Amino acid sequence: MEGIAERVTAVHQRITSAATSAGREPAEITLVAVTKTWPPETVLAAYAAGLRHFGENRAEELAEKRPYLESHLGADNAKSITWHLIGTLQSRKTPLAAAHADVFHALDRLKIAHRLARDLVENGRAANPQFTLPIFLEVNVSGETSKSGFDCTRWEEDERQTAVLRAAAAEVTSLPGLSLAGLMTMAPWDAPPEEVRAVFRRTRQLAARLQTDLALPTPLQLSMGMTDDFEIAIEEGATHVRVGRAIFGERP
Ligand SMILES: *Cc1c(COP(=O)(O)O)cnc(C)c1O
């Protein structure tokens, strides 16, 4: 467990040098510590090491760990934590996500957005005028068929793909309790670095296109980069990196 603090320091240093070499401010980048499959005690250790953004890919696991940390840290301390749901959501799990997520990174179809909005109204979170659930639209630009997300594999040529994404972005913006945060993507598995970079770069360009087309007032954020590729992602504009193994080691 005490290795976590050292590894967090090392990851922060790598974030800083990737940002600096790309002419960016390290403070623009949020490190989301991916705690999936680790027990809640490990998340407490990560909190003690200074981490405040945690990522879970399953709504059930989030629904267990968040209350655990709240009861161990006290409600006031636990308020400093932001819980990111980073994995694709099945429609029957939206009530759990709506109850426990502070940010959702993997919206892959509009049906899920409608259900989340309904659940946020039902559970009362949307009644708070300060509250919105920031939503990242997951995009598949790599063409790997195993990847979920809006099909943006040929967005530069295929006007229909950008039209679908534009409509989804507009819909998310208009739904109660939701706000549009940006785009999320995953690099192809085991691809060479140039290919990974191209995926991240095309995702950034797609976000810029969406920004212009919808005349959005605030810049879209980019959730991209994991243990094996977060430096490339930062060089290509990532604002959120989702890092598990570099902090916690191989998952149990
Ligand atoms: C597991 C996971 C990560 C973290 O992966 P590491 O390789 O451990 O850094 C990031 N994003 C998503 C969506 C994940 O499911």
Side-chain angles (χ1 to χ4, degrees), residues 32-38 55-58 85-88 105-106 138 184-186 189 223 225-230 241-251:
V32 179
V34 177
T35 46
K36 66 183 184 197
T37 76
W38 289 100
E56 287 288 336
N57 71 331
R58 292 174 56 244
L85 186 60
I86 61 175
T88 315
H105 288 243
E138 181 172 357
M184 179 275 220
T185 204
M186 311 250 274
W189 187 245
S223 171
M226 322 202 315
T227 289
D228 292 331
D229 52 28
F230 70 84
V241 291
R242 310 176 310 268
V243 178
R245 288 168 300 135
I247 298 173
F248 301 108
E250 290 301 325
R251 277 179 281 278

Side-chain angles (χ1 to χ4, degrees), residues 75-221:
D76 271 355
N77 289 330
K79 276 201 189 95
S80 64
I81 299 176
T82 303
W83 292 94
H84 300 254
L85 186 60
I86 61 175
T88 315
L89 194 54
Q90 296 168 287
S91 28
R92 65 198 161 83
K93 302 289 170 56
T94 58
L96 285 179
H100 298 286
D102 297 315
V103 184
F104 179 43
H105 288 243
L107 189 89
D108 61 348
R109 53 202 196 279
L110 268 180
K111 180 185 176 191
I112 300 292
H114 289 129
R115 292 204 177 214
L116 284 171
R118 179 201 64 190
D119 298 338
L120 288 165
V121 170
E122 268 173 23
N123 71 20
R125 276 177 112 189
N128 175 354
Q130 316 293 336
F131 174 88
T132 62
L133 180 64
I135 303 284
F136 286 88
L137 305 177
E138 181 172 357
V139 293
N140 177 359
V141 303
S142 78
E144 252 193 341
T145 48
S146 62
K147 290 267 183 290
S148 48
F150 288 90
D151 181 2
C152 296
T153 48
R154 302 177 52 252
W155 71 265
E156 293 91 339
E157 300 86 45
D158 188 341
E159 196 47 49
R160 282 168 309 179
Q161 294 188 344
T162 44
V164 168
L165 194 67
R166 211 160 41 234
E171 183 81 4
V172 164
T173 308
S174 74
L175 283 167
L178 306 185
S179 59
L180 179 65
L183 302 183
M184 179 275 220
T185 204
M186 311 250 274
W189 187 245
D190 241 10
E194 321 80 78
E195 211 172 297
V196 170
R197 184 179 297 280
V199 163
F200 292 153
R201 180 168 300 171
R202 291 179 59 221
T203 302
R204 166 169 43 88
Q205 291 166 340
L206 178 56
R209 167 75 185 274
L210 207 56
Q211 182 90 37
T212 311
D213 286 357
L214 293 173
L216 299 171
T218 42
L220 288 172
Q221 299 178 298

